[in-house]
Amino acid sequence: QVSPALRWPRWPVWLCSLSGRLSVLFGTDCRLLSHWRSERTFQLYFCSGQQEQTRTAHLTVDTHSHHWEEAAREGPCSPGQRRPALEMAIRSRWPGATVSWNGTDPFF
């Protein structure tokens, strides 16, 4: 069982282990964790510290999007349904959220 302090930290910073690599996911708005209205659409930043990542990835998370419309366009076995591990980690905190990579290629 995960401690509530780990699931809802005081600051919007998460240390992630994705595919065996440590990385940091963070937000710059501290209200994200204390004010429910801030969780509608917000910005997160991701840094893996790996050589192949030349700049911090800027992500936009929308927790009130119509994610079922996106799923209806493609079959469940199509390659387009594959999601990056980072998106799945974000969805463990905000189920059903859509993640826009804002021009950055998603990390698989």
Side-chain angles (χ1 to χ4, degrees):
Q1 185 174 359
V2 177
S3 166
L6 293 175
R7 188 150 169 103
W8 291 281
R10 290 183 187 194
W11 297 96
V13 177
W14 295 271
L15 180 63
C16 305
S17 176
L18 303 170
S19 303
R21 294 182 176 187
L22 291 178
S23 53
V24 176
L25 179 67
F26 64 95
T28 57
D29 185 0
C30 292
R31 293 178 306 148
L32 177 60
L33 301 172
S34 61
H35 195 267
W36 64 271
R37 288 186 184 187
S38 298
E39 290 189 349
R40 168 101 168 77
T41 302
F42 53 92
Q43 311 301 310
L44 290 177
Y45 301 89
F46 178 73
C47 184
S48 68
Q50 302 297 318
Q51 276 185 339
E52 59 269 11
Q53 185 180 6
T54 57
R55 62 186 174 106
T56 301
H58 172 229
L59 310 171
T60 302
V61 180
D62 185 353
T63 60
H64 288 80
S65 63
H66 300 290
H67 59 279
W68 58 86
E69 292 174 357
E70 177 184 346
R73 282 185 254 156
E74 298 177 343
C77 297
S78 69
Q81 287 296 95
R82 184 174 170 209
R83 298 285 180 226
L86 179 59
E87 284 188 31
M88 300 311 293
I90 290 170
R91 288 180 181 152
S92 72
R93 171 65 175 93
W94 294 282
T98 58
V99 179
S100 170
W101 288 76
N102 298 315
T104 303
D105 291 330
F107 309 123
F108 281 94

